[in-house]
Amino acid sequence: MAVHSLFHSQPQFSGFMKPCRFEGQVSSLEVRGRIPPAINGVFYRVMPDPAQVPFIENDPWFNGDGNVSAFHVHDSRVDFRQRYVRTEKFVKERQAGKALLGKYRNKYTDAVEFTVRSTANTNIFPFAGKLLACKEDSPAYRVNPRTLATEGLETFNGELPSCTFTAHPKICPDTGEMLCMGYEAKGDGTPDVCYFNVSPEGKVKEVVWLVAPVVALIHDFAFTENYVLFPLIPQTCDLERLKKGGEHWQWDPTIPFYVGVLPRKGAKGTDVKWFRAPNAFPGHTVNAFENEKGDIVFDLPSTDRNVFFWWPDKDGNAPEPSSIHAQLLRFTIDPKTKNLDLPPAEVLSKSDIEFPRIDDRFQGKSHSLAYFDLLDPSLGTDFARIMRPDVVGGGHPVYNALGKYNYKTNKMEAYCAGQTHLMQEPVLVPRSKDCEEGDGWLVALVNNYETMGSELHIVDTKDMSKAVAIVYLPVRLRAGLHGNWVDGWELDMLE
Ligand SMILES: [Fe+2]
């Protein structure tokens, strides 16, 4: 008889966060409104979705198995498919009929030995005709974009230089190369960072090894024409703590927010400069570019509070979750200066935002629009209904709108899906290959807490006041992390 057969009643496993555990396909989902016929492609996203009941106490919400959703939008219809990534963890645990992987990123707590501990649950990223199911502690798994079948670890023909691979690789719109990095790149607790890039054909090109000033979380990064930027979140790792069965991460409020700046072409690891700013939790990067003076402009959401409040500081201190508020900051960095203390960042918007997206054609270049998940208490959301602890919680991010920030007017427009709705990360679907910046539709999964159902909302970026179409799912999908849009013409190339 199974010892662990019920998910815990903790908030991260209850209400909307109860594991979904569905695999399968449903054609012609219900639609209210009309999906613009010009939308033709696939929205891929991945959610942490424990396939087995964890044996770890209070397992964090994003330690579950990566379950990939694909929404194929065509002819004003949506066909849906969902399938778990067959990671080593998933396969071994399914065979055993129970969880075997221990604590988040602590192999010393596992029930059996794993070669790769990836949950493949953080991003599903299209590259070179395949999808990369990413978890930053491991190499990515390669997934078939049509069937969602797992094809194996992506080692780039055995040339993957790092034992870890970021969940946020970038595509340079000029060269088509994929910019990649791994941190703790020589194993748990190592300060080594590996930057590398991969040609559009999948060949590893440049590899640069750096040493970070602290062993800290580098969840996302950014690039410009001539530089690569590595923002360090002050969640720090200590190997001895891991060996004692402790947590991978511990918040350190005493260290700066470091930004590593590495020349992008022909650099050595010792060329990196680690700039410093006051302690903060930088979120995902919006973008970076070089201005006319040659300075690096770096935009990102950031907060002075520990967003991962379930991993407190060494004394157990953590912020009250509702007090965490990330603003849109702009750092301007002179890459040639010897003064490594950054000038104060400019606050571009005080709105509480995260999960930024820009028009990907402007990656590394000056951009004038950005889209976000947004928390705006003035939008009439019935938080008393939504925020019941049995319905939402456990670190699941709470955003009640999509935000559109216009850099020219400094205005943040909001799309609010309804009084009982929270948003997941949006993707931008360009109106055409050569449309103006940011023009098209936002597509985002929405949690409806009245029906406890999942919906896909499609919003024209030119009119954020309403959705042009709402697609209803017959299954509730748990909070996800990241996703990407693959346009039809790219999909054809993948066949
Ligand atoms: Fe992320």
Side-chain angles (χ1 to χ4, degrees):
M1 194 168 90
V3 177
H4 304 283
S5 58
L6 285 175
F7 282 97
H8 301 278
S9 58
Q10 292 148 336
Q12 66 268 38
F13 299 111
S14 307
F16 228 97
M17 294 302 284
K18 196 167 174 60
C20 165
R21 308 175 79 205
F22 167 82
E23 288 190 305
Q25 54 194 105
V26 184
S27 66
S28 299
L29 296 178
E30 290 182 275
V31 179
R32 184 188 299 276
R34 183 161 186 260
I35 298 172
I39 303 181
N40 180 21
V42 186
F43 168 42
Y44 297 98
R45 49 82 75 178
V46 63
M47 61 183 168
D49 190 18
Q52 306 288 342
V53 176
F55 65 85
I56 292 296
E57 290 289 326
N58 212 12
D59 205 28
W61 75 272
F62 53 51
N63 201 27
D65 301 275
N67 201 355
V68 177
S69 322
F71 299 88
H72 183 195
V73 186
H74 63 101
D75 305 308
S76 299
R77 287 169 36 201
V78 180
D79 298 327
F80 170 66
R81 183 187 289 261
Q82 188 159 281
R83 189 166 169 82
Y84 275 109
V85 183
R86 264 52 179 178
T87 60
E88 181 183 341
K89 169 193 184 308
F90 179 94
V91 171
K92 281 186 171 161
E93 292 188 342
R94 175 166 276 196
Q95 283 167 354
K98 62 180 181 180
L100 300 169
L101 194 94
K103 276 188 168 178
Y104 183 84
R105 295 185 67 175
N106 187 340
K107 65 185 177 187
Y108 303 100
T109 61
D110 293 344
V112 300
E113 197 167 324
F114 292 93
T115 308
V116 173
R117 292 183 91 251
S118 175
T119 47
N121 69 8
T122 312
N123 200 355
I124 183 83
F125 191 84
F127 180 68
K130 298 293 179 190
L131 298 169
L132 302 179
C134 304
K135 169 73 187 178
E136 67 202 44
D137 63 1
S138 304
Y141 278 91
R142 209 170 50 245
V143 169
N144 183 296
R146 295 208 162 269
T147 64
L148 301 185
T150 305
E151 297 179 346
L153 283 174
E154 179 55 88
T155 64
F156 305 105
N157 296 314
E159 293 181 348
L160 177 67
S162 166
C163 66
T164 56
F165 183 87
T166 180
H168 288 285
K170 314 285 177 200
I171 303 289
C172 174
D174 292 334
T175 65
E177 67 187 340
M178 180 167 63
L179 283 67
C180 315
M181 65 96 179
Y183 70 94
E184 295 186 51
K186 291 185 179 174
D188 286 334
T190 58
D192 305 273
V193 179
C194 184
Y195 164 73
F196 60 103
N197 53 47
V198 182
S199 74
E201 296 76 34
K203 180 150 182 57
V204 174
K205 308 294 276 189
E206 278 186 284
V207 178
V208 184
W209 284 91
L210 328 170
V211 178
V214 287
V215 184
L217 172 56
I218 316 180
H219 177 64
D220 198 356
F221 72 117
F223 70 96
T224 69
E225 182 183 353
N226 294 300
Y227 298 95
V228 190
L229 286 79
F230 305 97
L232 267 63
I233 298 172
Q235 283 280 3
T236 56
C237 176
D238 174 63
L239 188 59
E240 293 310 310
R241 186 172 68 237
L242 290 182
K243 288 180 178 171
K244 290 178 193 151
E247 301 292 339
H248 191 99
W249 296 123
Q250 185 176 82
W251 177 248
D252 189 342
T254 70
I255 59 175
F257 158 39
Y258 289 102
V259 182
V261 174
L262 177 75
R264 187 171 150 193
K265 294 155 196 162
K268 303 187 298 293
T270 49
D271 294 334
V272 68
K273 287 185 178 177
W274 293 101
F275 289 92
R276 296 178 293 256
N279 182 272
F281 193 117
H284 294 98
T285 63
V286 177
N287 194 25
F289 59 91
E290 289 159 50
N291 65 17
E292 59 287 346
K293 285 169 59 186
D295 289 342
I296 298 167
V297 179
F298 183 24
D299 290 1
L300 74 174
S302 185
T303 168
D304 61 358
R305 307 289 169 95
N306 171 18
V307 175
F308 293 167
F309 56 85
W310 56 91
W311 288 315
D313 70 16
K314 67 178 172 49
D315 300 318
N317 297 314
E320 203 283 311
S322 65
S323 72
I324 300 166
H325 179 132
Q327 301 178 320
L328 177 57
L329 300 189
R330 166 163 287 184
F331 286 93
T332 302
I333 305 170
D334 173 2
K336 303 219 164 29
T337 184
K338 292 196 168 113
N339 179 4
L340 297 180
D341 290 310
L342 287 174
E346 180 186 356
V347 179
L348 295 179
S349 170
K350 292 186 171 169
S351 296
D352 188 356
I353 43 111
E354 242 300 344
F355 292 99
R357 305 299 298 226
I358 63 162
D359 185 324
D360 284 335
R361 295 171 300 174
F362 291 79
Q363 291 277 351
K365 304 168 187 288
S366 176
H367 62 286
S368 59
L369 286 168
Y371 299 99
F372 300 92
D373 274 351
L374 168 70
L375 176 58
D376 182 345
S378 74
L379 294 173
T381 297
D382 183 358
F383 282 107
R385 168 77 186 85
I386 289 178
M387 297 302 288
R388 280 175 21 213
D390 59 327
V391 173
V392 67
H396 163 217
V398 173
Y399 295 102
N400 65 340
L402 298 177
K404 172 186 179 181
Y405 182 71
N406 185 325
Y407 282 76
K408 292 181 181 141
T409 61
N410 291 337
K411 290 264 174 23
M412 183 79 77
E413 281 182 80
Y415 165 69
C416 184
Q419 285 189 310
T420 58
H421 300 65
L422 293 184
M423 312 298 304
Q424 300 195 23
E425 182 198 55
V427 293
L428 177 65
V429 179
R431 201 174 302 275
S432 66
K433 276 184 189 173
D434 48 7
C435 62
E436 66 184 66
E437 180 186 352
D439 183 28
W441 298 272
L442 293 175
V443 175
L445 258 178
V446 173
N447 308 347
N448 184 340
Y449 290 80
E450 186 60 43
T451 63
M452 293 303 280
S454 292
E455 304 167 0
L456 199 66
H457 287 223
I458 302 174
V459 180
D460 193 316
T461 58
K462 287 243 187 327
D463 178 8
M464 297 285 286
S465 68
K466 62 180 189 302
V468 295
I470 298 175
V471 182
Y472 297 91
L473 275 79
V475 289
R476 175 189 46 78
L477 302 188
R478 206 168 182 246
L481 284 162
H482 299 291
N484 291 283
W485 174 257
V486 176
D487 253 319
W489 56 79
E490 294 176 50
L491 195 68
D492 290 342
M493 286 161 47
L494 305 183
E495 284 184 294

